[in-house]
Amino acid sequence: MRRRDYLAGLSSGAAASAAGCSGLSVGGPGEASGGPPRLSVDGNWLVDPDGRRVVLRGVNVVDPWWGTTYEDVRGKDYWETLRLATDAEAGWHASVVRVPVEPRTVRTLGLDTLLADYLDRAVEVTRERGAYLIVDYHAVERYDTADVDRRLRRFWKRVADRYADQTHVLFELFNEPTEPSGNGLESWRTWRETAQPWVDLIRDRAPETPIIVGSPQWTSMTRFAPEAPFRGEDLLYAAHVFPSWERDTWEVNFGDPALEVPVFVTEWGYANADGERYEPHMMGTTDGWGRPFREWLSTHPNVGWCAWTFDSHWTPNMFDHDWDLLGGDDYMGRFIKEWLRDGRDEHPVDGDATPTAAEGAPAKPTGLLVEGETPTRIDLTWNEADGVAQYRVAVGERVEKLSGTATEASIRELTPGETYRFAVVAVGSDGATSDPATITASPPKPTEPAATIPRAVVAPEVDGAADDVWSDVPSHAVDRTVVSTDVETDMVASWRALWDERALYVLVDVTDDDAWTDSARSWNDDSVEVYLDPDNSREDEYDGENDRQLIVPRGWGRILSGSNSAGDTEAIEFAQTETDEGYRVELAVPWDALGVDPTLDHLMSMDVHVIEDHDGGKRDEKKAWSATADTAWQNPQTFAIVRLGE
């Protein structure tokens, strides 16, 4: 996950992330005067004293000192905010409220004032409202310094002692420890070694209070918790999920660990708005991110959450300054309110309801089919089923983990012609697995190469001069018309190529008397396009890894990259020169930039296109070597297979 910047200046107000939890039926002050009962951990669930499963969903409010000090910036009384979040009559059904306490607040107020004037009141308000409260030490910083150790110990000694007997209070150890952070199990173990004494300190003073534990990289390493859990009882593991996390990363990073340990998404949210307040990591929409996120979490009913932020100022915000709820596709406020309302009766602490999670393993997946194939990929599909938290697709020792909402998978990097046995297993929310559904398939072998590219004895100089090294290299005509108009043209083109261990060299000669270079877009001017699929994956769309569309407009003096092309063009050498009959383009594309280790007989796919603009302003003709239609910019399967030869 990319590093996230936080706006924390007092003058502009802090921009932070907050989350909450709901799912319980929350009543008014008089209905829960004793406060919600103590929760504990059983397996990967929170449970009430009767052993019934509980899921908490709610919201983050802002830091209490900041919220009261900058009430004019926020447009609302802080304590009124807490009450609104748990006001069922107003349509809000948060069963938990997360209160972030920033280190600067502790410094500004001192612990005595913080506890007596702020946290005591937050504890009392949430208790009266029948809601749970997460006290979050909201630090975003390195975790391995002596200063952090001193501050955390001092904070949690006082807080744990003071609220140990409050049955509705949970503690979140450290909001977002940032560094040191690698991306592997050893980094998690380093964090655990540092943070375990803090967990022990809290547990000594508050033996029964649930503790939520974050992780490095801004609380995003949750996947390692099952393999190397912290020591202690009643521990949950936090996750912070924002739109910078793509959908296909959710399951392996956050869903998979939830099959074994309790996972709590203490921060998530999005907005799709212009302005400096909204940081890149939070940019998303309701339809594009919010609803898929809800659908995914529906497969993990044990995962609680707190949305960030129930506020008008901290972003992503759910309200405007007048405290009108924001909604639509660009804002999450109405979507979150709807989700909390829909889930208000799920897994209640009070009442006669029983756990809703299905007992036993899910049924074996049905309808497993091979839906598509390329020389390096097999596409599988199966039928949709209920009660599945995850699907696992195994081929050999490889295992792909997919959300329970998935009904298809693409298994890549296969060997053409080799026979594989694919096994699909359904996994329940408690980790129980079904019998496997299996199918055998072989990626097709590629057809015979359309051309052989010889090895260069001496690397050509990329200067557009076509030196002697090119003299005996076979030439290939670019003569398939894929775009034409009524305008008569005289363009003739051909290409040649060489390779060595460093690069692929391509030379394109174009006969075209008139040079037109006056358009704003390359495809409306004279230009050469070289298409490469260097690992011959032959997908029906660009793979995002090394499929390339390289564009050299005549007379522009630069090389461009197509809209679907992977990578940049910085490492590519090129030259474009005018000739007596037209112009010439010469390229050297390093294999390192393509992620391929070239060997004799290596197969790849490529194509060369040439565009002619005959009268300025638009293209009048486009010719290709391989393609029969102008779709190569979208579909690499139109490229021809070539072989690296002697």
Side-chain angles (χ1 to χ4, degrees):
M1 183 180 183
R2 293 187 295 271
R3 182 183 179 107
R4 299 192 276 118
D5 296 326
Y6 282 77
L7 303 178
L10 286 176
S11 60
S12 62
S17 303
C21 318
S22 117
L24 306 181
S25 181
V26 178
E31 298 177 20
S33 59
R38 174 81 71 192
L39 301 178
S40 59
V41 169
D42 183 10
N44 61 345
W45 281 85
L46 277 174
V47 297
D48 72 2
D50 295 324
R52 292 178 297 185
R53 292 170 171 176
V54 173
V55 60
L56 299 177
R57 304 189 190 105
V59 295
N60 280 270
V61 292
V62 299
D63 174 276
W65 172 80
W66 190 94
T68 54
T69 302
Y70 294 93
E71 184 178 309
D72 56 334
V73 174
R74 300 178 59 249
K76 198 176 193 68
D77 174 77
Y78 183 79
W79 308 107
E80 186 181 350
T81 304
L82 257 62
R83 292 185 174 88
L84 177 62
T86 55
D87 187 349
E89 292 185 1
W92 286 102
H93 298 274
S95 60
V96 62
V97 176
R98 181 174 181 250
V99 174
V101 179
E102 295 185 312
R104 67 173 177 184
T105 291
V106 181
R107 292 193 303 269
T108 301
L109 297 175
L111 277 172
D112 290 341
T113 301
L114 169 68
L115 298 174
D117 294 350
Y118 293 89
L119 283 187
D120 282 359
R121 190 169 179 183
V123 168
E124 181 63 15
V125 168
T126 50
R127 184 190 63 79
E128 290 178 349
R129 307 296 292 182
Y132 287 90
L133 168 69
I134 298 174
V135 177
D136 158 43
Y137 186 72
H138 200 76
V140 184
E141 59 186 315
R142 293 187 67 97
Y143 66 81
D144 62 345
T145 68
D147 179 57
V148 165
D149 180 69
R150 177 187 58 79
R151 286 190 278 115
L152 256 76
R153 289 177 181 275
R154 184 167 177 264
F155 179 84
W156 284 118
K157 282 179 182 178
R158 295 290 302 279
V159 171
D161 282 340
R162 195 174 187 96
Y163 305 121
D165 294 332
Q166 297 291 333
T167 60
H168 69 298
V169 173
L170 297 82
F171 299 143
E172 186 164 356
L173 178 69
F174 192 138
N175 170 58
E176 288 187 341
T178 57
E179 298 176 275
S181 64
N183 196 31
L185 180 58
E186 287 310 307
S187 296
W188 170 272
R189 292 186 191 276
T190 299
W191 156 246
R192 186 186 60 174
E193 181 180 350
T194 302
Q196 183 68 60
W198 302 332
V199 172
D200 295 341
L201 179 150
I202 296 174
R203 184 55 72 231
D204 288 344
R205 287 163 171 76
E208 297 180 331
T209 302
I211 303 171
I212 304 172
V213 181
S215 58
Q217 292 188 329
W218 298 273
T219 297
S220 68
M221 297 178 70
T222 321
R223 64 191 180 279
F224 298 114
E227 186 172 354
F230 277 66
R231 181 179 63 252
E233 301 294 325
D234 299 320
L235 302 181
L236 299 89
Y237 295 92
H240 291 178
V241 189
F242 289 91
S244 53
W245 286 96
E246 300 291 342
R247 290 194 220 175
D248 59 3
T249 66
W250 296 345
E251 187 61 30
V252 67
N253 286 288
F254 309 115
D256 188 52
L259 301 177
E260 299 183 54
V261 298
V263 171
F264 200 118
V265 182
T266 54
E267 289 187 13
W268 70 273
Y270 62 90
N272 185 41
D274 295 330
E276 296 181 357
R277 295 177 63 198
Y278 300 94
E279 301 172 67
H281 78 275
M282 63 179 64
M283 299 298 287
T285 63
T286 299
D287 289 339
W289 199 86
R291 297 197 189 283
F293 181 72
R294 178 175 178 177
E295 181 183 18
W296 168 68
L297 270 191
S298 71
T299 65
H300 294 282
N302 62 312
V303 177
W305 54 259
C306 287
W308 184 275
T309 316
F310 195 81
D311 195 57
S312 64
H313 194 77
W314 282 21
T315 58
N317 48 308
M318 296 168 59
F319 299 88
D320 65 17
H321 186 268
D322 295 325
W323 280 80
D324 292 325
L325 189 62
L326 298 169
D329 201 38
D330 290 338
Y331 295 97
M332 63 184 180
R334 295 188 183 280
F335 173 70
I336 291 170
K337 187 175 184 179
E338 173 188 284
W339 190 353
L340 293 175
R341 182 198 65 214
D342 293 346
R344 64 189 181 276
D345 295 325
E346 293 178 4
H347 313 292
V349 170
D350 299 311
D352 298 327
T354 57
T356 61
E359 296 182 0
K364 174 182 174 179
T366 61
L368 180 61
L369 295 172
V370 173
E371 186 68 20
E373 58 187 15
T374 73
T376 60
R377 189 195 77 224
I378 292 290
D379 297 330
L380 304 174
T381 64
W382 54 89
N383 294 332
E384 185 177 357
D386 295 329
V388 178
Q390 182 187 92
Y391 287 104
R392 296 175 184 168
V393 182
V395 52
E397 296 183 355
R398 289 172 52 186
V399 179
E400 302 279 346
K401 296 177 180 179
L402 309 170
S403 167
T405 61
T407 57
E408 60 184 27
S410 294
I411 310 302
R412 304 174 186 272
E413 299 180 6
L414 303 177
T415 301
E418 185 171 330
T419 300
Y420 294 91
R421 178 180 180 271
F422 302 92
V424 181
V425 171
V427 186
S429 61
D430 290 336
T433 58
S434 72
D435 292 332
T438 62
I439 195 169
T440 300
S442 299
K445 290 184 178 180
T447 58
E448 287 298 312
T452 296
I453 298 175
R455 190 200 302 261
V457 177
V458 177
E461 185 175 349
V462 181
D463 55 6
D467 46 6
D468 291 344
V469 71
W470 290 106
S471 59
D472 294 327
V473 178
S475 178
H476 306 276
V478 181
D479 56 5
R480 293 186 174 184
T481 300
V482 294
V483 173
S484 63
T485 65
D486 294 334
V487 177
E488 184 177 347
T489 66
D490 58 356
M491 180 181 67
V492 177
S494 64
W495 69 271
R496 289 174 278 178
L498 289 164
W499 73 281
D500 60 19
E501 284 69 19
R502 188 187 76 85
L504 173 71
Y505 307 92
V506 181
L507 185 78
V508 183
D509 281 300
V510 183
T511 298
D512 181 9
D513 291 339
D514 299 322
W516 291 94
T517 60
D518 57 351
S519 300
R521 301 183 184 277
S522 64
W523 59 82
N524 286 328
D525 270 339
D526 294 351
S527 57
V528 167
E529 299 177 342
V530 177
Y531 296 86
L532 300 173
D533 177 5
D535 59 5
N536 208 39
S537 57
R538 299 192 64 77
E539 307 284 348
D540 57 5
E541 60 184 20
Y542 280 63
D543 61 13
E545 297 178 4
N546 53 23
D547 290 350
R548 296 290 193 106
Q549 178 191 3
L550 305 175
I551 307 166
V552 184
R554 184 176 186 176
W556 282 29
R558 57 193 171 116
I559 183 170
L560 308 177
S561 188
S563 58
N564 298 313
S565 186
D568 56 42
T569 61
E570 291 183 5
I572 299 173
E573 300 173 52
F574 82 99
Q576 188 260 301
T577 59
E578 293 294 312
T579 64
D580 292 341
E581 297 179 329
Y583 67 104
R584 177 180 296 123
V585 170
E586 190 170 13
L587 301 174
V589 186
W591 295 111
D592 286 347
L594 298 174
V596 169
D597 184 15
T599 57
L600 186 64
D601 294 326
H602 173 77
L603 296 180
M604 58 180 287
S605 298
M606 68 176 291
D607 201 357
V608 176
H609 294 196
V610 179
I611 297 171
E612 180 179 17
D613 175 15
H614 188 70
D615 56 4
K618 62 182 180 63
R619 60 182 177 178
D620 294 299
E621 185 176 41
K622 184 177 186 182
K623 291 184 177 181
W625 170 58
S626 170
T628 57
D630 188 25
T631 57
W633 64 279
Q634 293 177 307
N635 184 4
Q637 289 183 351
T638 67
F639 307 174
I641 296 173
V642 298
R643 181 180 70 89
L644 302 186
E646 287 290 4

